[in-house]
Amino acid sequence: MTTIRKAAVIGSGVMGSGIAAHLANAGLSVVLLDRVPTQLLPQEEAAGLTLAHPKVRNRLAVNALQGMVKTNPAPLFQASFAQRIQPGNLEDDLGKLKDVDWIIEVIIENLAAKQALFARIEEVWESGTIVTSNTSGVSINAMVEGRSAAFRAHFLGTHFFNPPRYMKLLEIIPNSDTESEIVAFMQDFCEKKLGKGVVVAKDTPNFISNRIGTYGLLVTLQEMLEKGYTVEEVDAVTGPAMGRPKSATFRTLDLVGLDTFVHVAGNVFSQVSDPAEKAVFDTPALMKDMVERGWIGEKSGQGFYKKVKTAAGSEIQALQFGTMTYEPSKRVSGASLEASKQAKGAAAKIKALITGKDRYAELAWNILKPVLLYSAEKLGEIADSIVDIDNALKWGFNWELGPFETWDAIGLRRSVERMEAEGSVVPAWVKEWLAAGNESFYRRSEGRTFAYLGGASSELGVRPEVISLASLKEQKKVIRSNSGASLIDIGDGVACLEFHSPNNAIGADILTMIQQSVDEVRSNYRGLVVANEGKNFCVGANLMLLLMEAQDGEWDEVDGIIRLFQNAMLKLKRLEKPVVAAPHKMTLGGGVEACLPADMTIFSAETYYGLVEVGVGLIPAGGGCKELALQASQSVQDPEVDLQPWINAAFETVAMAKVSTSGHDTKRLGYMRAQDRVVMNPDFRIYEAKQAVLRLDAAGYELPAEEKIRVAGENGKAVLVAAANAMRQGGYISDHDVKIAGKLAHVLAGGSVPAGTLVSEQYLLDLEREAFLSLCGEVKTQQRMQYMLSKGKPLRN
């Protein structure tokens, strides 16, 4: 098989519909099948339908499809992608499985039900079609007992994590007869086409991520009950202080659902024989009691936490185990927690936490130690590679460091000595590794990574599609650098401009580096990629600096900052070599303006992209308005055709601070150009941007000639202002919003000139800067800027 173009998903519940949606996101045609209902709904009876009617027979899959466009967070990159999914049922449409390349089973976690389904599937199965199960714990081998050798050779587990669009992890689990070529193909396809992080697991209870993660949660719960810690104390320790998500332990359990967790834990309990392991997976009576009470988490309204309405609004309350009542959640503080908070990076945070001397340091060590030992014990049983175990926990549970990376972070030899001194049994292979003179499971050397593998240190294979800027910097590939950005040689004559200021906010250091990078690339390189490896691509300009200068009345300084920004963007646009931007995650305000000058943009699928300056009482002034006006002019080549609809759309997008919900969604907002595209796997985006630069260069890149921009002028501006005034009269926006909208309309329409006037880019940049400066002087704008900096959300004043 060379690729997969069409798939079938059987089961349209939460996971089935989510998987179908993500396959549609990847461009696949999908058949979504489910059972045929056995009873009519009241509305179906009222409509005169019978159980034989297609609307009834396809109801489950149709309802799931309709729910996709309403669900939040959205499972689809764009609502229109739902058109790629065809709903049906298992009785009328089973024959459609003959036409697909991949069949995914996502039904109830019941072995007998799955075995019966696969028997039916094999009746219509075409040789060569891949069949997988999305099970989270049912034996892959047991599911296909009695199936033909050919069917088994094409069968494996593909365990997606919920929600499938957003969770990176995909566990692939071969059965004993799965062809190795099928495993390799699926790993490659799911990484490239679906954007997943794939690990290969063995057919053991709960596979890798849920096996280790569930063990860790149960150990934590048992330690809490034994030592008398509170819900809040445990979550304070097991969140960011330990390199884990903010949801920590009990908010995570509430999100997952205690009923689901009890089922997952019970799956291991019923299948393992070791008494000590079985004891851990025997769910505590407390949790069983909560499930019996229906206190199963967010979906029931209460679990370990409960949100309660009060006279002041609402408050979060935490469960008190002694009385099984709820009390207002209390803030937790302690010396070790503070030490972790002050440390930089997950490794330093964990080390600071466990080396403390208070009860929180003790809690952290007592729950971390068994997880590290258990992970080591299970190596070879659940997976052959420590890398797969680490990645499974990072991608499936959102840990910043996997178990073996964590062990390295706290000091492998020192921590093993502490474990043994406390009477713990350390797996023999770990002690042998230390005895051989190794001080860590991983080591870095000149940008290369080596890891423990079967008693030896083996270099980790790096996919050519993955370009690591961090590794290149270790290899001394930095061309030039300052505090905010670096220019890095990424090979084949291509350089990459990387932002690395706090939050990647654009300030003078980044703008200076942009200008220096243009000069460097012009002289010595084939082209430039603009990308970075931060949590977000760029959250905008340095708002704090702007606010301080504005409050001090330093208008020349503010004017200088904006001129520097505009000049840097214009210089980037005028580079005679190809420039490709590769944004990811939050790309806001100035981050968008840093991408707009590029010849091409490679969006990561999860890119949240928008000019949001009006949220802080400003308008885009780094070329954002100018570029939107230019795109409108380029879209309407005929001077007799009205520009207004294009300007209206741009005005609405910016004035309402609209942000894309995905890389694909940038098209709906008018940001995506014909040459731009989306890459599914964020790990591949810098490579794809580099390849785009090389293609443009090989094709004989020529800098597009600067062109005049046809503007909507005074009449166009009047239309936009009228729309803003109508919203004010309707009570939707404030007087200050109207003022901002007027400034935005003035710039986008090209100022006070006749409709159809041709203006220069610099003319529009001057209008941007003037409008921005005048808004900076407004008290209400300064209040909005201050509020955003302190509260992290916009103020409507």
Side-chain angles (χ1 to χ4, degrees):
M1 178 173 287
T2 56
T3 191
I4 295 172
R5 294 184 176 86
K6 190 170 184 179
V9 177
I10 301 176
S12 64
V14 173
M15 280 303 296
S17 61
I19 291 170
H22 195 60
L23 298 182
N25 286 337
L28 276 64
S29 297
V30 184
V31 179
L32 179 61
L33 306 181
D34 211 319
R35 295 170 291 108
V36 174
T38 57
Q39 288 185 314
L40 290 172
L41 297 174
Q43 56 266 39
E44 292 169 338
E45 289 183 344
L49 301 179
T50 69
L51 288 173
H53 196 284
K55 285 186 177 180
V56 177
R57 294 177 70 80
N58 294 338
R59 181 213 305 154
L60 296 177
V62 168
N63 287 351
L65 185 56
Q66 292 172 344
M68 289 179 195
V69 299
K70 302 174 184 177
T71 302
N72 188 26
L76 292 163
F77 290 152
Q78 282 184 249
S80 63
F81 287 179
Q83 297 169 8
R84 298 171 178 171
I85 303 173
Q86 178 186 0
N89 69 76
L90 276 169
E91 293 183 14
D92 303 325
D93 303 305
L94 194 66
K96 292 179 179 179
L97 300 185
K98 289 179 176 288
D99 302 322
V100 305
D101 306 306
W102 180 14
I103 301 167
I104 311 174
E105 168 271 309
V106 200
I107 67 169
I108 187 172
E109 289 284 71
N110 177 278
L111 177 59
K114 292 179 186 292
Q115 288 174 329
L117 176 61
F118 289 124
R120 292 183 64 193
I121 289 173
E122 188 166 16
E123 293 175 2
V124 297
W125 177 71
E126 292 287 322
S127 181
T129 301
I130 294 171
V131 184
T132 71
S133 171
N134 182 61
T135 180
S136 60
V138 178
S139 170
I140 301 300
N141 281 283
M143 285 185 212
V144 285
E145 288 178 358
R147 305 277 58 78
S148 68
F151 189 91
R152 288 173 61 87
H154 290 79
F155 181 80
L156 62 160
T158 47
H159 180 211
F160 289 82
F161 277 63
N162 191 34
R165 168 184 166 180
Y166 299 96
M167 292 300 289
K168 183 173 182 176
L169 179 61
L170 174 65
E171 293 177 322
I172 285 182
I173 312 100
N175 74 78
S176 57
D177 296 321
T178 308
E179 292 180 0
S180 58
E181 293 82 1
I182 296 294
V183 177
F185 167 78
M186 286 299 289
Q187 184 167 4
D188 184 73
F189 177 84
C190 292
E191 286 178 344
K192 288 181 178 177
K193 193 70 175 179
L194 302 187
K196 292 299 171 189
V198 177
V199 300
V200 178
K202 297 194 175 186
D203 187 18
T204 55
N206 290 11
F207 313 128
I208 304 174
S209 184
N210 279 344
R211 182 71 170 271
I212 303 294
T214 301
Y215 180 91
L217 287 167
L218 287 167
V219 165
T220 301
L221 187 59
Q222 291 164 3
E223 180 72 11
M224 178 193 71
L225 294 173
E226 182 180 327
K227 301 290 178 61
Y229 291 97
T230 66
V231 167
E232 302 98 314
E233 286 178 320
V234 171
D235 275 358
V237 169
T238 59
M242 285 187 74
R244 311 278 176 84
K246 290 182 180 178
S247 56
T249 296
F250 294 114
R251 282 191 172 87
T252 296
L253 285 169
D254 280 353
L255 287 167
V256 170
L258 273 67
D259 53 340
T260 301
F261 180 81
V262 167
H263 171 77
V264 171
N267 188 54
V268 180
F269 177 81
S270 65
Q271 296 187 59
V272 298
S273 56
D274 177 68
E277 186 175 13
K278 209 170 183 70
V280 173
F281 283 96
D282 186 6
T283 309
L286 165 71
M287 191 173 284
K288 293 176 182 175
D289 178 32
M290 292 175 69
V291 172
E292 288 177 6
R293 291 171 183 251
W295 298 359
I296 57 175
E298 285 205 353
K299 55 189 174 185
S300 69
Q302 67 187 102
F304 287 100
Y305 291 98
K306 179 170 69 171
K307 191 173 184 178
V308 178
K309 290 184 178 180
T310 65
S314 64
E315 70 178 11
I316 303 297
Q317 296 186 349
L319 182 63
Q320 312 299 305
F321 303 128
T323 59
M324 294 302 284
T325 59
Y326 291 86
E327 292 184 6
S329 180
K330 300 178 179 64
R331 186 177 180 277
V332 178
S333 62
S336 60
L337 290 170
E338 186 59 30
S340 174
K341 186 177 180 180
Q342 295 302 318
K344 302 296 182 183
K349 286 180 180 296
I350 298 169
K351 190 172 183 178
L353 179 63
I354 67 164
T355 54
K357 301 298 182 183
D358 58 16
R359 63 197 306 264
Y360 301 125
E362 180 184 1
L363 172 63
W365 172 250
N366 286 344
I367 59 181
L368 181 61
K369 176 177 67 172
V371 170
L372 301 183
L373 292 171
Y374 188 72
S375 300
E377 289 168 8
K378 295 304 165 188
L379 180 65
E381 178 183 333
I382 63 175
D384 287 328
S385 162
I386 68 167
V387 178
D388 275 347
I389 292 176
D390 278 345
N391 285 339
L393 272 298
K394 289 191 292 184
W395 298 338
F397 276 73
N398 293 317
W399 293 7
E400 290 192 53
L401 300 176
F404 297 99
E405 292 171 326
T406 299
W407 218 332
D408 283 353
I410 64 175
L412 177 58
R413 187 176 298 277
R414 185 182 306 109
S415 60
V416 166
E417 290 171 352
R418 180 177 176 182
M419 291 172 182
E420 292 192 311
E422 294 171 353
S424 298
V425 178
V426 177
W429 73 264
V430 176
K431 295 170 69 174
E432 291 166 3
W433 183 245
L434 285 169
N438 299 289
E439 297 297 327
S440 62
F441 294 116
Y442 294 89
R443 64 180 177 86
R444 300 275 297 168
S445 177
E446 298 180 346
R448 300 155 68 196
T449 302
F450 298 82
Y452 172 89
L453 182 63
S457 183
S458 299
E459 183 175 2
L460 298 185
V462 178
R463 297 192 61 146
E465 299 94 341
V466 177
I467 292 177
S468 167
L469 299 181
S471 292
L472 289 169
K473 286 192 281 190
E474 287 181 13
Q475 297 171 49
K476 305 191 185 316
K477 297 294 185 180
V478 175
I479 303 163
R480 57 176 64 216
S481 183
N482 65 23
S483 59
S486 296
L487 185 66
I488 303 165
D489 187 337
I490 58 174
D492 300 312
V494 181
C496 179
L497 174 63
E498 175 203 31
F499 302 164
H500 47 66
S501 65
N503 296 317
N504 286 345
I506 296 177
D509 46 6
I510 288 180
L511 297 173
T512 299
M513 184 55 61
I514 290 174
Q515 300 208 27
Q516 292 176 353
S517 297
V518 169
D519 294 335
E520 183 72 41
V521 171
R522 177 180 289 123
S523 301
N524 300 312
Y525 289 85
R526 297 170 66 182
L528 177 67
V529 168
V530 182
N532 64 67
E533 294 173 333
K535 180 181 178 182
N536 297 299
F537 177 77
C538 177
V539 297
N542 188 330
L543 192 60
M544 176 64 79
L545 175 63
L546 281 170
L547 177 60
M548 289 172 59
E549 299 290 7
Q551 288 177 332
D552 291 342
E554 298 289 349
W555 303 118
D556 286 345
E557 292 294 329
V558 177
D559 181 72
I561 292 169
I562 302 309
R563 286 181 186 273
L564 179 61
F565 201 142
Q566 291 181 341
N567 291 340
M569 297 304 109
L570 203 55
K571 188 169 183 177
L572 186 62
K573 185 173 184 177
R574 295 282 171 257
L575 176 59
E576 299 86 352
K577 305 289 180 71
V579 177
V580 177
H584 67 284
K585 291 296 181 77
M586 301 299 290
T587 304
L588 305 176
V592 173
E593 291 175 309
C595 296
L596 290 175
D599 298 288
M600 182 179 184
T601 300
I602 306 290
F603 294 100
S604 175
E606 298 297 343
T607 303
Y608 317 120
Y609 193 88
L611 293 167
V612 296
E613 285 84 350
V614 295
V616 289
L618 299 167
I619 69 162
C625 295
K626 178 262 293 182
E627 286 295 322
L628 292 181
L630 174 60
Q631 288 180 26
S633 178
Q634 290 173 333
S635 298
V636 189
Q637 296 295 320
D638 186 344
E640 300 302 316
V641 176
D642 190 7
L643 275 172
Q644 197 68 50
W646 280 264
I647 295 298
N648 289 351
F651 177 76
E652 181 179 322
T653 295
V654 179
M656 297 183 70
K658 292 183 177 180
V659 177
S660 73
T661 57
S662 68
H664 292 85
D665 193 48
T666 56
K667 185 175 183 178
R668 177 182 63 88
L669 297 183
Y671 289 119
M672 181 181 284
R673 303 162 298 181
Q675 68 269 32
D676 299 336
R677 65 185 188 85
V678 179
V679 63
M680 287 292 285
N681 194 318
D683 296 339
F684 297 171
R685 60 194 163 78
I686 299 177
Y687 169 84
E688 293 293 342
K690 174 185 171 181
Q691 296 307 115
V693 166
L694 294 174
R695 285 194 295 270
L696 288 169
D697 177 65
Y701 177 82
E702 291 186 8
L703 178 67
E706 184 176 354
E707 57 186 288
K708 294 291 186 178
I709 302 169
R710 183 162 69 96
V711 296
E714 193 72 54
N715 292 342
K717 172 184 172 181
V719 172
L720 302 179
V721 171
N725 284 329
M727 290 189 71
R728 177 67 187 103
Q729 290 171 7
Y732 297 107
I733 61 176
S734 68
D735 288 338
H736 194 53
D737 291 324
V738 173
K739 178 173 288 188
I740 298 164
K743 300 286 186 180
L744 178 62
H746 183 72
V747 178
L748 285 175
S752 302
V753 296
T757 299
L758 297 176
V759 301
S760 67
E761 291 189 50
Q762 188 59 57
Y763 169 83
L764 288 178
L765 289 174
D766 290 342
L767 292 184
E768 279 187 0
R769 192 176 65 257
E770 291 164 5
F772 188 93
L773 281 166
S774 67
L775 287 170
C776 276
E778 296 283 343
V779 172
K780 288 188 175 181
T781 284
Q782 293 178 19
Q783 290 172 345
R784 291 189 179 194
M785 295 165 74
Q786 183 70 56
Y787 195 84
M788 177 62 75
L789 286 167
S790 60
K791 304 290 187 180
K793 56 185 179 181
L795 170 68
R796 301 305 301 272
N797 59 351

